[in-house]
């Protein structure tokens, strides 16, 4: 089965992202707006129990962090993805690195914290949409105190397998 680890932003940020995603993101109905911390990976039902425990241990070592969403950006020309840029922070980088080192996986791309709002767009559509969005002012700053292990269902949608609070349980 396919799994991944994400942080869901607040409802306010999700609503803002979804106002664009419903028009520009082909995965709109499959997963809520999110910040991917550990890209999709395969695991068996037996393996995921041990992996969940490892993620729990990693979560305990990391304090809650602040997400700063600062602008619209794009991965063009690599691919036609438009996203909300989340400022990289030491805490976010360390969390991403700890998850990847723990599972001995090399990410396919370097870590660029973001919330996807448009993908699978034609070159022309990407150019038009991005040119209009990049002029908009965006600024959200909010705490994030949990991450989620998701799994993919047969219909392609993603759902939460387990949620992990960042920091030691009090």
């Amino acid at each position: 089965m396919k799994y991944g680890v994400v942080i869901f932003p607040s409802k306010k940020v999700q609503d803002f992202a979804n106002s664009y995603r419903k028009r520009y993101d082909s995965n709109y109905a499959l997963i809520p707006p999110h910040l991917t911390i550990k890209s999709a990976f395969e695991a068996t039902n037996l393996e995921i129990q041990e992996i969940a425990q490892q993620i729990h241990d990693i979560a305990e070592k990391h304090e809650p962090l602040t997400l700063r969403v600062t602008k619209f950006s794009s991965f063009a020309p690599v691919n036609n993805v438009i996203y909300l840029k989340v400022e990289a922070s030491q805490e976010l980088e360390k969390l991403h690195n700890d998850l990847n080192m723990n599972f001995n996986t090399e990410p396919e791309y370097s870590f660029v914290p973001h919330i996807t709002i448009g993908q699978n767009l034609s070159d022309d559509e990407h150019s038009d949409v991005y040119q209009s969005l990049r002029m908009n002012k965006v600024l959200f700053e909010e705490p994030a105190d949990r991450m989620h292990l998701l799994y993919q269902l047969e219909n392609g949608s993603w759902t939460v397998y387990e949620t992990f609070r960042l920091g030691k349980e009090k």
Side-chain angles (χ1 to χ4, degrees):
M1 193 173 293
K2 201 179 262 190
Y3 296 88
V5 181
V6 304
I7 293 175
F8 290 122
S10 67
K11 180 175 181 340
K12 184 166 130 181
V13 173
Q14 286 192 38
D15 288 348
F16 180 78
N18 276 334
S19 71
Y20 297 100
R21 288 182 72 229
K22 63 183 158 203
R23 286 178 287 190
Y24 306 123
D25 186 354
S26 56
N27 291 336
Y28 169 75
L30 302 178
I31 188 168
H34 62 281
L35 167 63
T36 301
I37 303 295
K38 169 82 181 101
S39 298
F41 61 93
E42 295 284 336
T44 65
N45 287 340
L46 194 58
E47 291 169 332
I48 201 61
Q49 294 171 16
E50 183 179 324
I51 289 169
Q53 183 56 55
Q54 292 170 339
I55 295 171
H56 176 269
D57 295 344
I58 290 169
E60 278 192 337
K61 294 175 190 161
H62 289 267
E63 290 303 311
L65 41 89
T66 299
L67 298 181
R68 276 183 53 87
V69 181
T70 57
K71 67 179 184 177
F72 288 99
S73 196
S74 171
F75 288 125
V78 176
N79 58 38
N80 288 347
V81 170
I82 299 171
Y83 60 87
L84 290 168
K85 180 178 179 24
V86 178
E87 274 187 8
S89 66
Q90 284 184 323
E91 298 87 358
L92 204 49
E93 294 273 347
K94 186 160 175 21
L95 182 58
H96 168 76
N97 290 339
D98 285 357
L99 285 167
N100 281 289
M101 281 193 321
N102 206 61
F103 301 111
N104 296 320
T105 53
E106 259 321 293
E108 186 178 351
Y109 300 105
S110 53
F111 183 53
V112 177
H114 70 280
I115 299 166
T116 300
I117 61 158
Q119 59 187 320
N120 301 321
L121 304 170
S122 70
D123 289 346
D124 288 343
E125 186 179 23
H126 171 271
S127 180
D128 290 348
V129 171
Y130 181 54
Q131 291 307 319
S132 68
L133 291 180
R134 63 184 267 196
M135 301 302 164
N136 295 337
K137 294 251 185 276
V138 178
L139 182 58
F140 294 99
E141 190 168 325
E142 61 186 30
D145 66 352
R146 58 197 65 174
M147 61 181 169
H148 309 273
L149 175 61
L150 306 182
Y151 66 99
Q152 192 173 32
L153 301 171
E154 285 181 22
N155 68 1
S157 67
W158 291 82
T159 193
V160 174
Y161 179 87
E162 192 167 339
T163 297
F164 307 90
R165 290 185 70 83
L166 298 173
K168 290 261 188 229
E169 295 289 328
K170 295 185 172 48

